[in-house]
Amino acid sequence: FALRFYPFENATVSNNLIQDNNAVQGGGIYTDYAHVTIENNTIVNNNASFMGGAIFLYYTSQADIFNNKIVNNESDAGAGIMVYGNYYSKIISNVICNNYSSGNHGAGIHIQSSSSTRLNVYNNTIANNQGDGIYAGDEVHIKNTILWNNTNQVSGNSSNI
C-alpha cells in the first residue's frame, strides 16, 4: 500500500496521485480503525491480491471520500473501495470506473460490515467496472448515483439498499 493509517489517527489525503501500488489489502490506501478524509485524489492502477484495490476501509470510525477519480484498480473484492466494518462513511461525488474484481464482488464498491454501519453513496458515477458496481452486504443509502455498464449494477442483500 502507498498510505496506511493506524488506529485512532485522524488523517486527510488531498490532491495526490496514488498510482501503481501493490498490497494484500488496500493497494492504494489502507485505514485501520482511523478517521480519514480522502478528497480530490486520482487513485489509479493499484492492486490488492485480496481486498481493496484502491481503498480499504477496515473498521474505520468515519470516512469521508469526496471528489476522487478511482480508476483501473484490481482486487478479488472491492477493487475501487472496500468498506469492512465501518461505523459511518460518506462516498460522495467520485468517479469510480474501469476497476476489475476477480471475485466479481464490488468492482466499484464492496460493503461488508456489521449491522451498525451507515454508508451514504451520493452523486457518484460508477461505470464500466468488471464485477458489481456496488456489492451491498450491509446497509447502504444510494442517492443520485449513476450506475452504468458494470457487470452487475447492484448486488448483495437487496433489503439493505
Side-chain angles (χ1 to χ4, degrees):
F1 43 79
L3 300 169
R4 180 174 180 162
F5 299 102
Y6 291 94
F8 313 111
E9 284 186 317
N10 292 319
T12 298
V13 179
S14 183
N15 300 308
N16 295 286
L17 172 62
I18 301 168
Q19 182 176 359
D20 297 327
N21 299 287
N22 294 288
V24 174
Q25 299 178 144
I29 299 172
Y30 180 92
T31 68
D32 185 356
Y33 291 90
H35 178 150
V36 296
T37 300
I38 301 169
E39 61 185 359
N40 302 315
N41 299 286
T42 298
I43 306 171
V44 61
N45 295 330
N46 298 286
N47 181 286
S49 58
F50 188 42
M51 294 188 284
I55 300 171
F56 186 0
L57 306 173
Y58 182 76
Y59 285 99
T60 300
S61 60
Q62 182 171 341
D64 299 319
I65 302 174
F66 303 116
N67 300 315
N68 297 285
K69 294 176 186 167
I70 301 170
V71 180
N72 293 333
N73 299 285
E74 295 185 22
S75 72
D76 184 56
I81 301 171
M82 177 70 190
V83 180
Y84 191 94
N86 288 28
Y87 300 105
Y88 183 76
S89 295
K90 296 176 276 186
I91 300 173
I92 300 174
S93 299
N94 298 282
V95 173
I96 303 170
C97 66
N98 300 325
N99 298 291
Y100 171 71
S101 169
S102 60
N104 207 32
H105 288 297
I109 302 171
H110 183 119
I111 299 107
Q112 190 67 46
S113 311
S114 67
S115 60
S116 63
T117 298
R118 175 155 174 125
L119 179 66
N120 295 315
V121 177
Y122 298 156
N123 304 320
N124 297 281
T125 298
I126 302 171
N128 293 323
N129 294 290
Q130 293 182 25
D132 305 319
I134 298 175
Y135 175 86
D138 204 346
E139 182 178 1
V140 60
H141 301 272
I142 303 169
K143 185 176 180 181
N144 296 327
T145 290
I146 297 168
L147 289 152
W148 181 77
N149 203 34
N150 302 290
T151 304
N152 300 302
Q153 303 314 318
V154 178
S155 68
N157 186 346
S158 62
S159 65
N160 292 324
I161 299 170

